[in-house]
Amino acid sequence: MHMTESETRPDISLAADLRVSPDDAPVAPDVFTVRNLNVFYGDLRAVSDVDIDVREREITALIGPSGCGKSTVLRCFNRMNDLIDIARVEGSVLYQGIDLYDPQVDPVAVRRRIGMVFQKPNPFPKSIYDNVAYGPKVAGQKGNLDEVVERSLRSAGLWEEVKDRLKSSALGMSGGQQQRLCIARAIAVNPDVLLMDEPCSALDPIATGRIEELMKEIQNEYTIVIVTHNMQQAARVSDRTAFFTAELDEGTGQRRGKLVELDDTGTIFSNPADERTEAYVTGRFG
Amino acid sequence: MAAARSSVVDLADLRARKGADITGQIFLGLLLISVALAFAMVGAVFWDVLVEAWDIISTRLWDFVRSPSSSDPAKAGVAQGIRGSLLIAGIVMLTFPIGIAGAIYLEEYADDTWATRLIQVTVRNLAGVPSIVYGLLGLAVFVQGLRGLTGGSSVVAAGITLAVLVLPVVVITSAEAVRAVPGSMREGAYGLGATQWEVIRSQVIPAAMPGILTGTVLAIARALGEAAPLLVIGAAGFYTTGNNDFLEQLQGAFTALPMNIANFSRLPAQTWRGHAAAASVVLLAMVFMINLVAIIARARITKKLGR
Ligand SMILES: Nc1ncnc2c1ncn2[C@@H]1O[C@H](COP(=O)(O)OP(=O)(O)OP(=O)(O)O)[C@@H](O)[C@H]1O
Ligand SMILES: [Mg+2]
């Protein structure tokens, strides 16, 4: 499961210190280096042999037809797959050089650095304030969280709309507001990375536009990986795009997800290397 | 654009077809009849009990709830029964955390192995075991086996026996409530770096609380109404001692409202008119009050959760 079998494995909390120093670093060092990733649900190999690099402070989009394993791959980036009993992960997912699946790594610590926004807005049945304050609270932040809450809601472009009703239930908000609240909630723990699984699929075009704007605004503070079914969205917001597809495996008769290619978004949409990608992005397939 | 199409719609086309939903109407009718029947039966029982109890309720209700058992119909009351039932309810409630914790363990922590499934099936079956069997268990284990602890046929032995009787109900309803908490809520909390315990404490338990409360109320109501296990354990229908200090109340002779009711109804009806009915009214009032408390608590939690 690990790339290297080094004697002393660095603790995850040292991750920040392990970043390549600015002098000798390339412009955008990789946040994630995924090699030979295979994910199984029981006997089903949902994705096979995926290699992906995610660069720092970039937006990486994962696209592809339904069932090709985009969510599955995304959920490996913060070990959300641990929550599914039958899921098994093989290969290496390096986060700033540290294997996230190293036995010494605590998934809880991972998720504090690598936050997630889900497809369906899932605010907690609590007040707006408590939703945003939840992350900092479980991270052990004591005392007055007003400032964190305000800053996060401002970042998510929600502050003006909700500042007078912070104490009212988050379930009374519109779907778009709820999703921005979920983004605010994720930002509040000050993560390195934001993973977003089709964050706009339940939203109307206006709410979608606001979230896309928001992603652009926070891009220089966070690395973002987004799964989307909306090709225009990938083209609009992302720096690089990974195209996945599901192939029928002759031996088992199962459909497994594969990464076809990963490149600059412009290239993927105008001049992809693989014809399957071209067929998909031009709408002839998928 | 629309004008270009020349389809003519007649009002008749948009009318409901005659008799289109006749089976649906019949079904609805049957449902309404069943509901009306259910209400009518409950109403009839209440009415009957109230009418029979009216003599006592209207003349000496306060005296009736405050007096101990007596051989004089004009003096006899259910004070000991109320006390016994309250003590039993208290003891049963003390064991609720065990049932709720068991449910949370089964749903959230236990792996899905054959052992877990065996436990789940067993709990379900235990909920269906006739109460008299629990009475025998109570007699063997809590009255005789643990006499040193319970003092024999005591309110403690009765409380523990009834707790064991209703615990499966608590476990089943709590487990269902926990299972009904949406996975998206758990994922949301895990995604923010919460530990399993934090997810359970701050999301799962609050969201499951209304359902858990409903289960506990059902459980208490059942425990309060059971007479058969008490009979086996040896609750007294009539006694004059054991009214003194608290320890004696816990470990000495005892009775409970269902025993009072059973006892009253065995006495000659000419002189003991309405005593059983009046005791039933007291028992119903008690169950009703517990329900009320739970409904208020549930409404508060639900409001806090913003639903
Ligand atoms: N919890 C699970 N248990 C079993 N199989 C699963 C589970 N989650 C996903 N799968 C399977 O893994 C494969 C990939 O699923 P995944 O959800 O990653 O696809 P996706 O690309 O995100 O699809 P979509 O675009 O529809 O969201 C599918 O065949 C799916 O049936
Ligand atoms: Mg998906």
Side-chain angles (χ1 to χ4, degrees):
Chain A
M1 200 188 271
H2 328 119
M3 275 258 294
T4 52
E5 242 355 282
S6 57
E7 289 299 320
T8 52
R9 218 178 294 280
D11 186 87
I12 183 73
S13 60
L14 300 175
D17 311 327
L18 290 175
R19 267 187 208 154
V20 201
S21 64
D23 312 327
D24 50 29
V27 189
D30 290 344
V31 175
F32 289 110
T33 313
V34 176
R35 290 293 174 267
N36 275 322
L37 180 71
N38 286 276
V39 185
F40 301 82
Y41 294 109
D43 294 332
L44 172 77
R45 190 204 291 236
V47 296
S48 76
D49 299 324
V50 167
D51 296 353
I52 295 187
D53 300 313
V54 173
R55 296 190 190 147
E56 190 165 21
R57 312 258 182 276
E58 280 196 358
I59 300 180
T60 304
L62 311 184
I63 62 168
S66 197
C68 65
K70 306 177 295 291
S71 302
T72 302
V73 169
L74 191 74
R75 292 164 63 92
C76 290
F77 288 136
N78 69 344
R79 292 195 51 177
M80 274 319 251
N81 284 331
D82 288 25
L83 303 177
I84 301 171
D85 285 339
I86 55 169
R88 201 174 81 245
V89 176
E90 284 177 7
S92 68
V93 181
L94 299 189
Y95 165 63
Q96 299 186 5
I98 297 163
D99 190 339
L100 289 183
Y101 284 88
D102 184 300
Q104 289 183 28
V105 167
D106 176 12
V108 170
V110 170
R111 295 184 198 123
R112 284 187 185 152
R113 287 167 173 272
I114 305 169
M116 190 154 203
V117 176
F118 300 84
Q119 175 167 358
K120 238 180 89 215
N122 59 348
F124 302 133
K126 297 175 190 281
S127 71
I128 294 170
Y129 184 99
D130 288 340
N131 261 274
V132 183
Y134 184 79
K137 266 188 200 148
V138 297
Q141 220 161 305
K142 293 260 153 41
N144 196 333
L145 296 169
D146 290 357
E147 206 182 302
V148 187
V149 171
E150 179 172 346
R151 184 156 24 85
S152 311
L153 285 169
R154 276 191 196 283
S155 303
L158 201 56
W159 176 252
E160 291 303 324
E161 286 161 65
V162 302
K163 65 177 184 214
D164 298 324
R165 52 179 183 123
L166 290 175
K167 291 285 168 227
S168 58
S169 168
L171 300 185
M173 307 168 89
S174 76
Q177 288 176 324
Q178 289 187 358
Q179 194 62 307
R180 276 181 287 147
L181 178 68
C182 291
I183 296 175
R185 189 173 77 177
I187 290 174
V189 289
N190 198 21
D192 253 4
V193 184
L194 272 184
L195 307 175
M196 303 177 138
D197 195 347
E198 302 184 45
C200 304
S201 64
L203 308 183
D204 70 55
I206 294 173
T208 301
R210 303 195 65 153
I211 293 200
E212 287 179 12
E213 270 170 41
L214 169 62
M215 288 170 65
K216 285 296 201 189
E217 277 162 27
I218 60 177
Q219 175 183 8
N220 37 29
E221 288 175 70
Y222 305 96
T223 305
I224 298 176
V225 185
I226 177 176
V227 170
T228 176
H229 268 289
N230 181 334
M231 234 89 68
Q232 286 86 13
Q233 179 169 65
R236 277 194 300 264
V237 300
S238 71
D239 300 296
R240 300 210 308 157
T241 298
F243 173 65
F244 287 78
T245 190
E247 272 175 3
L248 196 69
D249 183 80
E250 298 294 340
T252 57
Q254 293 174 342
R255 282 161 55 80
R256 353 178 120 149
K258 268 192 165 344
L259 174 70
V260 176
E261 60 182 308
L262 165 63
D263 213 327
D264 288 340
T265 298
T267 313
I268 291 282
F269 281 93
S270 59
N271 189 17
D274 196 292
E275 57 190 20
R276 286 170 295 178
T277 315
E278 185 172 7
Y280 185 78
V281 298
T282 55
R284 278 189 281 119
F285 159 70
Chain B
M1 283 176 291
R5 293 192 52 196
S6 61
S7 94
V8 181
V9 174
D10 203 324
L11 179 57
D13 296 337
L14 298 179
R15 273 210 202 109
R17 270 178 299 137
K18 248 215 174 106
D21 197 22
I22 201 88
T23 39
Q25 297 297 328
I26 293 174
F27 184 60
L28 181 62
L30 285 176
L31 285 184
L32 289 177
I33 291 173
S34 321
V35 171
L37 260 175
F39 267 104
M41 282 192 290
V42 173
V45 170
F46 266 113
W47 182 247
D48 188 51
V49 170
L50 260 182
V51 166
E52 255 193 71
W54 191 248
D55 257 1
I56 291 181
I57 292 183
S58 56
T59 53
R60 50 177 287 252
L61 177 62
W62 190 232
D63 181 50
F64 185 70
V65 289
R66 284 182 34 187
S67 308
S69 26
S70 156
S71 48
D72 179 358
K75 281 192 189 152
V78 291
Q80 299 152 320
I82 292 176
R83 197 177 61 209
S85 283
L86 284 177
L87 285 173
I88 287 172
I91 293 170
V92 169
M93 274 194 260
L94 283 181
T95 65
F96 283 165
I98 300 174
I100 297 168
I104 292 172
Y105 174 79
L106 280 178
E107 288 300 316
E108 298 285 320
Y109 289 96
D111 290 329
D112 189 18
T113 60
W114 64 268
T116 314
R117 289 199 195 164
L118 187 69
I119 292 175
Q120 280 165 338
V121 170
T122 311
V123 170
R124 271 175 199 286
N125 286 332
L126 281 177
V129 170
S131 54
I132 190 106
V133 178
Y134 282 99
L136 293 173
L137 170 97
L139 181 64
V141 178
F142 303 123
V143 174
Q144 287 158 4
L146 299 175
R147 181 174 288 272
L149 186 72
T150 59
S153 296
S154 67
V155 84
V156 175
I160 301 177
T161 305
L162 289 176
V164 174
L165 170 85
V166 299
L167 220 44
V169 177
V170 175
V171 174
I172 292 170
T173 47
S174 303
E176 245 139 51
V178 167
R179 205 175 314 143
V181 177
S184 62
M185 240 166 78
R186 291 168 221 253
E187 284 203 324
Y190 277 119
L192 292 169
T195 60
Q196 185 172 21
W197 164 238
E198 282 159 349
V199 173
I200 290 172
R201 184 182 55 88
S202 64
Q203 307 294 337
V204 176
I205 294 181
M209 212 53 202
I212 293 176
L213 268 177
T214 306
T216 55
V217 168
L218 283 177
I220 292 197
R222 169 132 194 244
L224 282 180
E226 285 293 348
L230 301 183
L231 213 63
V232 178
I233 287 174
F238 179 99
Y239 72 97
T240 45
T241 55
N243 298 316
N244 306 322
D245 64 17
F246 190 62
L247 196 70
E248 195 185 340
Q249 287 172 20
L250 281 178
Q251 297 205 323
F254 77 104
T255 189
L257 280 169
M259 286 303 300
N260 286 142
I261 297 170
N263 195 49
F264 283 140
S265 55
R266 275 198 302 257
L267 295 167
Q270 292 89 338
T271 38
W272 292 86
R273 288 189 61 88
H275 286 76
S280 304
V281 169
V282 173
L283 180 57
L284 282 173
M286 225 159 114
V287 171
F288 181 74
M289 273 187 303
I290 291 171
N291 261 308
L292 201 68
V293 170
I295 288 171
I296 292 170
R298 195 168 54 193
R300 282 205 169 173
I301 295 169
T302 318
K303 190 160 163 246
K304 217 170 132 211
L305 293 174
R307 260 176 274 164

